[in-house]
Amino acid sequence: MNATIKFRIDGTQVVTKAGLTIMKAADNAGIYIPRLCDEKGLEPQGSCRICIVKIGGQIVASCTQPAEDGLEVENDTPEIRNYRRDLVKMLYHEGNHLCPICEASGRCELQAVSYYLGIFQPTKYPYLQPDRPVDASHRDILLNTNRCIRCGRCIRASKTLDGKNLFGYIGRGIHKQVGVNGENLANTDAKVGDAAMALETCPVGCIIQKRQGFFAPIGKRRFDLKPLGTNSVKQQKGGSEQ
Amino acid sequence: MKKRLATVSLAGCFGCHMSFLDIDERILDLVQLVEFDKSPFNDFKKFTQHCDIALIEGGCCNEENVRTLQEFRANCDILVAVGQCAIMGGLPVMRNAIMHSNDPLRECLEEAYNDSDYVYNPTNEIPNDPALPLLLDKVYNCTEVVKIDYQIPGCPPSGDTLWYALVALLKGNPYELPSELIKYD
């Protein structure tokens, strides 16, 4: 299928080959759509809903929605931005996200997306402060589930890239969490070289490689050097939150 | 007329106040714009009159923090939560959930005064003088105690961020932070 389709994102024309998702097409055109559960090389699962866009009055996840000819996609509008902000804020309230003490601070995608969305207004929701376990059993890897946002990137990476199936979802609703397929991580064949354990796979600081915390100084961390969305054609200057 | 500015550090480390001094020579511009009321900067212990803006550093970990915060709410028009401790509890909030205990305050005190290998405490006493403010069951952020009007995130917020936000507030402008000034660490 080599047909070319044309559609618009916030009025900018995007020309792409047919069969891609809206997010892939936007990425190819250099238009940034924020996301947390999607990662290059992994099957999109459309669970975090940060990448939502509006098409004809309908809100859809752009990582799973196929691009079609003639679509008018609303991406960076005040309405969508506010939805995204609320979704991201709720992630902070649901877990224990202590940026000041976190090894992943500065290379954390949750944090970088929050900066991109310009989240700074007074807290709306109560902090749930859940009691979540830390699995330090493995020699080289530490799991701090206080920071898990259940994006499932490690689950998919382990299944499709490593062929190991180390992680899986447990529970439903607000009790849903990512669990280790075994008694603890030490009792699995997890290794530092696994794609699931790579620094880029976990968007937060849940999967941590031991003995290399804070390896980059402040100012030289991943998103200090290149904040999310800044290489895009369209740059959003974090505006005020209404 | 100059606006009146009050500041306070509750369950914080005074880092945000130190960062405030990073506005450097802009402090000369600031004194043209504000008059300091109750604040550690001038060591005023009491409010002299009603204030326009208050900067709150730190959350509430004891009853004195709560009383002070309520006093600030009653005496100031705009309360600004400055830094992660005021916004979400910060480092002190670790004692709420990360202790993994049904009685986190007890466990925190036991660890600090008895159980740790590096503590010499032959009487096994935990400080309990009536002069000490009573600790709360858990650490609360400022929005859980009073209404907070604005937040300046950061640990601490940089001098530039504080200056940017403060000038906007003093001029009565809608408060806007460009994304490069938003930092949570």
Side-chain angles (χ1 to χ4, degrees):
Chain A
M1 203 159 63
N2 285 322
T4 314
I5 58 166
K6 287 179 190 171
F7 68 103
R8 284 172 184 278
I9 300 179
D10 292 339
T12 309
Q13 177 140 310
V14 176
V15 183
T16 180
K17 64 177 184 195
L20 293 182
T21 61
I22 292 174
M23 184 188 278
K24 283 251 162 60
D27 281 350
N28 292 342
I31 296 170
Y32 177 64
I33 299 177
R35 81 240 18 207
L36 284 173
C37 73
D38 195 48
E39 165 80 349
K40 263 200 192 98
L42 298 178
E43 195 67 24
Q45 72 174 19
S47 65
C48 74
R49 316 309 285 185
I50 309 296
C51 71
I52 51 168
V53 293
K54 204 170 187 181
I55 304 168
Q58 186 85 23
I59 287 179
V60 295
S62 64
C63 65
T64 50
Q65 185 74 19
E68 285 167 51
D69 203 33
L71 283 184
E72 290 285 343
V73 179
E74 290 174 41
N75 170 35
D76 194 12
T77 61
E79 184 198 6
I80 296 291
R81 209 178 307 147
N82 277 336
Y83 280 136
R84 287 174 178 162
R85 279 171 173 162
D86 277 352
L87 289 165
V88 172
K89 279 182 187 176
M90 284 191 271
L91 290 175
Y92 279 95
H93 290 264
E94 209 173 39
N96 294 313
H97 295 278
L98 292 149
C99 295
I101 57 147
C102 184
E103 299 95 319
S105 190
R107 61 174 179 84
C108 169
E109 283 179 40
L110 175 64
Q111 196 186 55
V113 163
S114 316
Y115 295 167
Y116 171 80
L117 294 171
I119 295 175
F120 65 90
Q121 282 293 50
T123 314
K124 262 190 186 174
Y125 314 110
Y127 284 95
L128 299 185
Q129 296 173 346
D131 187 355
R132 299 224 200 117
V134 175
D135 181 350
S137 59
H138 195 280
R139 202 170 65 93
D140 302 313
I141 303 159
L142 178 119
L143 292 184
N144 187 343
T145 56
N146 285 291
R147 301 161 184 167
C148 182
I149 55 168
R150 296 174 299 282
C151 64
R153 272 156 58 163
C154 55
I155 299 177
R156 282 170 286 157
S158 187
K159 194 180 281 177
T160 58
L161 303 178
D162 300 331
K164 285 188 176 177
N165 226 348
L166 286 180
F167 300 105
Y169 282 123
I170 306 171
R172 297 174 72 86
I174 196 157
H175 303 295
K176 187 168 182 168
Q177 49 178 297
V178 174
V180 176
N181 207 347
E183 198 182 320
N184 54 32
L185 202 59
N187 287 326
T188 64
D189 53 352
K191 284 191 188 63
V192 166
D194 290 353
M197 307 302 164
L199 291 177
E200 294 77 29
T201 299
C202 186
V204 287
C206 179
I207 300 176
I208 291 282
Q209 296 187 9
K210 290 184 180 176
R211 293 177 293 281
Q212 59 153 302
F214 306 102
F215 58 88
I218 290 176
K220 294 193 173 163
R221 302 168 302 184
R222 183 173 163 207
F223 294 117
D224 291 340
L225 299 171
K226 186 174 163 289
L228 274 184
T230 47
N231 256 13
S232 313
V233 171
K234 188 175 162 57
Q235 290 195 11
Q236 181 206 345
K237 279 283 162 208
S240 71
E241 201 176 352
Q242 300 304 324
Chain B
M1 202 181 112
K2 282 186 181 179
K3 301 262 188 188
R4 293 195 78 79
L5 178 69
T7 74
V8 69
S9 178
L10 306 172
C13 68
F14 269 96
C16 298
H17 275 78
M18 298 305 285
S19 189
F20 190 89
L21 299 176
D22 282 341
I23 64 172
D24 298 331
E25 72 276 7
R26 284 170 287 189
I27 201 155
L28 298 174
D29 302 326
L30 185 67
V31 292
Q32 305 296 322
L33 295 170
V34 300
E35 193 80 54
F36 274 94
D37 204 284
K38 178 174 172 161
S39 165
F41 287 128
N42 54 14
D43 212 18
F44 280 15
K45 307 291 189 204
K46 288 188 177 136
F47 281 104
T48 58
Q49 61 190 70
H50 195 82
C51 293
D52 298 293
I53 298 171
L55 305 180
I56 313 289
E57 172 193 337
C60 294
C61 75
N62 63 36
E63 53 163 1
E64 191 231 351
N65 294 152
V66 174
R67 264 205 297 273
T68 311
L69 187 53
Q70 285 168 342
E71 190 197 358
F72 268 74
R73 181 70 273 179
N75 283 287
C76 306
D77 289 340
I78 296 174
L79 287 198
V80 187
V82 178
Q84 292 304 109
C85 294
I87 292 169
M88 47 72 74
L91 269 64
V93 90
M94 286 168 73
R95 85 157 141 99
N96 294 5
I98 297 191
M99 300 299 290
H100 296 295
S101 161
N102 294 328
D103 193 359
L105 176 59
R106 166 68 50 192
E107 194 165 312
C108 181
L109 291 171
E110 290 290 346
E111 179 70 21
Y113 292 103
N114 286 327
D115 295 345
S116 170
D117 293 339
Y118 306 100
V119 168
Y120 176 71
N121 185 3
T123 56
N124 282 337
E125 228 174 307
I126 290 173
N128 194 25
D129 194 277
L132 293 172
L134 200 63
L135 288 177
L136 302 177
D137 61 333
K138 59 178 198 146
V139 176
Y140 296 85
N141 63 54
C142 291
T143 33
E144 287 178 301
V145 180
V146 296
K147 182 182 180 294
I148 294 291
D149 302 290
Y150 293 98
Q151 274 181 188
I152 306 177
C155 185
S158 68
D160 289 337
T161 308
L162 284 165
W163 176 251
Y164 189 100
L166 194 56
V167 167
L169 286 174
L170 288 170
K171 292 188 173 163
N173 291 340
Y175 176 97
E176 285 187 22
L177 267 192
S179 52
E180 59 267 25
L181 288 183
I182 303 176
K183 289 273 174 268
Y184 301 158
D185 61 354

